């Protein structure tokens, strides 16, 4: 993420959310005073106090059989285990570097009884061979913590998120929410934002990414823009972001086919190029410069009508969105879609390259309206699906306290604070 180069800076304020679990704390201290029992530790659904616990990491060359052998399990038993669980878990696929936990009996034999393999931070596989052999796939419980942040932009957005130890996915998600209304390649010094979001934690402590942005406020060129996440389709369980007047923030087209890119040349019918003796060479597209291999996104839903290599265009893709609009993406290093394929807004359709006539890596984005190439930045593009009138009263009621919360977040720069 650090290569992403567009230049802004923010300071970030994180305030705590109000939910504190006071009762729980009181109870725990009561128990420890009266009984002095060691704390009961549970993990993976087992009370660890009942076992001798070995925590280790799979090493290069390790096999399930070898690990079992070290912990007192016979070859015959290992064969029986691997054979019984093969439909759930293939022990040959354990990977070096992944953590595992062995639960061993507390008696003198210290035989392994349960093997837990952590596929990733969240998913783990339990092989329990105490009596009958059972393998199960599980997920660690995820808790959501609500956080607030705010920032004033003076330099790089990403860099500052990094400096402030704030998850860059918040910035990434905000860029998604405002992709239709703010050109994030042209943020101004003094632009500022506030955001309320939920972060995921495993076992209450290990960060596991951003869940979602609940609401945000972005002030671009002194123009305030609120965004509230609201479920507008309960049948498909889908949500969208709406402003305080229930307008959908999504537009029919994204403002750019590349995230975090830089416009290197705008649509200009009177462009003169020195190389061609200062003759007028109209530029009927907008060039977005980005490193080779950067994904290029469909700016709207549609059907792929062209995916080929031709002359100055190089490798390119063209998409038919409806009877009025087509979009075209030139100079790809490679295409990721085929003719006839349906693509959704934001789908990756190819990658930045230098094929055809181009002096550097970029995508030349061409916006066609009624068969003519026009400047997408001069078009008054339609909004996406508005909130239905029947949902509006519930929406206004829902956002009222959230707006008050957003408005109460100060812009004062503060290092992130521990959330209680
Ligand atoms: Zn171009």
């Amino acid at each position: 993420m650090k290569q992403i180069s567009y230049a802004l800076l923010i300071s970030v304020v994180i305030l705590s959310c109000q939910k504190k679990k006071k009762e729980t704390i009181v109870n725990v201290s009561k128990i420890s005073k009266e009984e002095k029992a060691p704390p009961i530790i549970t993990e993976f659904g087992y009370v660890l106090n009942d076992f001798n616990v070995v925590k280790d990491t799979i090493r290069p060359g390790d096999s399930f059989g070898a690990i079992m052998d070290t912990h007192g399990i016979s070859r015959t038993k290992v064969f029986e285990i691997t054979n019984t669980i093969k439909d759930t878990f293939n022990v040959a696929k354990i990977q070096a570097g992944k953590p595992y936990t062995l639960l061993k009996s507390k008696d003198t034999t210290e035989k392994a009884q349960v093997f837990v393999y952590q596929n990733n931070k969240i998913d783990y596989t339990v092989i329990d061979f105490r009596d009958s052999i059972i393998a199960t796939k599980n997920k660690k419980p995820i808790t959501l913590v609500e956080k607030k942040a705010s920032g004033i932009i003076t330099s790089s957005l990403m860099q500052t998120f990094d400096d402030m130890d704030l998850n860059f996915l918040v910035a990434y998600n905000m860029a998604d929410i405002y992709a239709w209304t703010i050109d994030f390649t042209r943020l101004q010094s003094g632009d500022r934002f506030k955001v309320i979001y939920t972060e995921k934690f495993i076992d209450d402590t290990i960060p596991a990414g951003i869940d979602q942005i609940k609401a945000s406020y972005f002030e671009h060129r002194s123009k305030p823009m609120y965004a509230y996440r609201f479920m507008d389709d309960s049948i498909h369980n889908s949500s969208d972001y709406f402003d305080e007047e229930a307008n959908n923030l999504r537009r029919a087209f994204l403002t750019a086919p590349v995230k975090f890119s830089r416009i290197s040349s705008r649509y200009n019918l009177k462009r003169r190029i020195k190389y061609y003796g200062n003759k007028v060479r109209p530029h009927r597209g907008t060039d977005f410069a980005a490193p080779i291999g950067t994904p290029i996104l469909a700016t709207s839903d549609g059907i792929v009508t062209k995916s080929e290599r031709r002359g100055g265009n190089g490798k390119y893709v063209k998409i038919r969105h409806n009877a009025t609009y087509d979009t075209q993406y030139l100079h790809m290093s490679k295409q990721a879609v085929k003719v006839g394929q349906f693509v959704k807004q934001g789908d990756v359709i190819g990658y930045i390259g230098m094929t055809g006539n181009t002096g550097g890596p970029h995508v030349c984005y061409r916006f066609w309206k009624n068969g003519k190439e026009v400047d997408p930045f001069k078009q008054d593009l339609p909004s996406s699906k508005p909130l239905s009138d029947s949902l509006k009263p519930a929406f206004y009621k829902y956002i009222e306290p959230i707006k008050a919360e957003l408005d109460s977040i100060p812009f004062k720069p503060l290092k992130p604070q521990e959330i209680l």
Side-chain angles (χ1 to χ4, degrees), residues 283 285-287 362 364 366:
H283 187 216
T286 310
D287 293 347
H362 75 277
C364 182
R366 305 217 164 175

Side-chain angles (χ1 to χ4, degrees), residues 82-249:
T82 53
N83 205 36
T84 311
I85 64 166
K86 65 178 189 294
D87 291 336
T88 312
F89 186 63
N90 179 358
V91 296
K93 288 198 171 156
I94 61 168
Q95 286 169 20
K98 301 274 187 189
Y100 68 89
T101 303
L102 267 172
L103 305 183
K104 298 166 72 171
S105 65
K106 271 196 150 175
D107 59 30
T108 49
T109 66
E110 284 205 42
K111 262 193 177 177
Q113 297 184 313
V114 180
F115 176 80
V116 183
Y117 177 74
Q118 281 176 259
N119 309 62
N120 53 51
K121 276 189 195 172
I122 295 169
D123 300 287
Y124 62 94
T125 306
V126 175
I127 306 166
D128 189 325
F129 39 94
R130 282 178 295 185
D131 299 314
S132 48
I133 299 161
I134 302 161
T136 46
K137 293 196 167 194
N138 305 280
K139 281 179 192 295
K140 289 206 164 199
I142 304 240
T143 46
L144 298 176
V145 176
E146 197 165 287
K147 292 188 173 184
K148 307 176 195 182
S150 73
I152 301 167
I153 288 152
T154 55
S155 175
S156 159
L157 181 66
M158 283 306 181
Q159 186 56 53
T160 312
F161 265 72
D162 203 41
D163 293 345
M164 304 298 289
D165 249 352
L166 184 70
N167 197 314
F168 71 87
L169 286 172
V170 175
Y172 218 62
N173 285 347
M174 277 204 310
D176 268 348
I177 293 172
Y178 293 104
W180 295 268
T181 40
I182 298 172
D183 181 351
F184 265 71
T185 63
R186 312 184 90 203
L187 287 184
Q188 304 280 302
S189 166
D191 282 358
R192 49 191 195 167
F193 68 86
K194 301 173 178 187
V195 59
I196 301 173
Y197 62 98
T198 40
E199 193 167 348
K200 295 187 273 190
F201 287 88
I202 303 161
D203 294 337
D204 287 330
T205 51
I206 306 158
I210 300 304
D211 171 50
Q212 62 184 38
I213 288 181
K214 185 178 174 187
S216 67
Y217 169 91
F218 208 106
E219 208 178 288
H220 177 50
R221 294 168 182 262
S222 305
K223 188 186 168 208
M225 268 173 279
Y226 286 92
Y228 301 94
R229 186 185 165 92
F230 191 71
M231 193 186 286
D232 54 341
D233 185 347
S234 53
I235 297 162
H236 299 101
N237 199 26
S238 80
S239 301
D240 253 328
Y241 287 90
F242 299 90
D243 68 12
E244 71 274 29
E245 278 156 7
N247 300 309
N248 197 325
L249 263 79

